[in-house]
């Protein structure tokens, strides 16, 4: 069972059933503009532990859940797909026990704890899970949440091109790229969130990279 104490004193560990209710509440804080049907709830988190417990982790400040990440094992798919489709409507029954990639379903840190590099620590923990399971790396679909500020000026495709060339900074995707994630393509209509134009940026983070 994964458990790691950070220099700050926070703990990253495998999710337990007792964390599910707090994770439900945290989803609403982390993803306030996400469609309700795409927001994970207590019942989903409990089921994830039955499907793939190794891929579910929480960030704890003492006993308080202040961050989380959920994932499944999956193949690398560069084709169009949706968040609800790949997650089996949030239940994770799409998990492939022999899948060679760790597909990240969500990643979030409580707003009060942001700015401390804790998301990077969660990605680092996922890298350690990849290596322990012999996986090729992580599949990340970043939400280009900065698009909302440019929606009247350019299309999503234009915004994506600017992201790739580095002329626009996106709070989520640009940070993931700086961490070593390599963009593969833009997926339109990946989810229902107006801040990111309903799109996701498909990226891969090879297991050998140091986050």
């Amino acid at each position: 069972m994964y458990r790691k104490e950070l220099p700050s004193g926070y703990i990253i560990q495998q999710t337990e059933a007792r964390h599910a209710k707090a994770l439900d509440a945290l989803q609403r804080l982390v993803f306030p503009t996400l469609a309700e049907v795409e927001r994970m709830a207590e019942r989903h988190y409990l089921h994830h532990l039955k499907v793939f417990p190794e891929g579910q982790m929480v960030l704890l400040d003492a006993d308080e859940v202040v961050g989380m990440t959920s994932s499944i094992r999956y193949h690398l798919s560069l084709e169009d797909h949706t968040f609800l489709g790949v997650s089996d409507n949030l239940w994770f029954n799409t998990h492939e026990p022999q899948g060679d990639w760790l597909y990240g379903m969500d990643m979030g840190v409580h707003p009060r704890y942001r700015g401390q590099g804790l998301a990077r620590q969660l990605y680092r923990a996922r890298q350690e899970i990849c290596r322990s399971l012999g996986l090729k790396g992580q599949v990340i679909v970043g939400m280009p949440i900065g698009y909302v500020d440019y929606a009247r000026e350019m299309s999503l495709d234009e915004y994506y091109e600017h992201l790739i060339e580095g002329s626009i900074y996106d709070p989520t995707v640009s940070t993931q790229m700086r961490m070593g994630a390599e963009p593969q393509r833009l997926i339109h209509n990946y989810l229902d969130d107006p801040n990111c134009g309903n799109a996701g940026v498909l990226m891969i983070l090879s297991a050998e990279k140091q986050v």
Side-chain angles (χ1 to χ4, degrees), residues 131-204:
R131 293 171 191 140
S132 69
L133 295 175
L135 305 183
K136 293 180 179 179
Q138 301 182 44
V139 176
I140 301 168
V141 182
M143 297 170 64
I145 60 173
Y147 179 65
V148 65
D149 297 325
Y150 293 86
R152 294 185 179 181
E153 303 174 29
M154 63 183 71
S155 68
L156 265 168
D157 294 280
E158 291 172 321
Y159 183 79
Y160 175 68
E161 291 302 320
H162 284 295
L163 278 183
I164 299 306
E165 67 185 24
S167 58
I168 281 180
Y169 174 82
D170 184 89
T172 296
V173 177
S174 298
T175 301
Q176 291 165 332
M177 289 170 60
R178 290 178 179 179
M179 194 174 58
E182 302 172 11
Q184 304 298 300
R185 59 170 303 212
L186 178 69
I187 302 179
H188 289 271
N189 300 312
Y190 180 74
L191 41 61
D192 186 358
D193 189 322
N195 277 0
C196 60
N198 300 332
V201 177
L202 179 68
M203 295 177 277
I204 59 172

Side-chain angles (χ1 to χ4, degrees), residues 93-134:
N93 293 318
T94 41
H95 167 66
E96 300 172 351
Q98 302 305 315
D100 52 5
W101 289 84
L102 192 72
Y103 191 114
M105 291 296 181
D106 75 346
M107 168 78 69
V109 174
H110 192 295
R112 192 171 71 246
Y113 286 78
R114 290 172 184 167
Q116 302 181 56
L118 296 174
R120 179 180 287 266
Q121 293 288 354
L122 286 166
Y123 279 112
R124 188 171 293 161
R126 288 206 318 210
Q127 285 292 79
E128 293 173 7
I129 296 298
C130 285
R131 293 171 191 140
S132 69
L133 295 175

Side-chain angles (χ1 to χ4, degrees), residues 18-19 22-23 26 58-61 63-68 110:
R18 63 189 176 93
H19 300 131
L23 286 169
L26 185 60
V58 289
L59 171 68
L60 303 175
D61 180 2
D63 291 327
E64 182 182 3
V65 177
V66 299
M68 81 298 190
H110 192 295

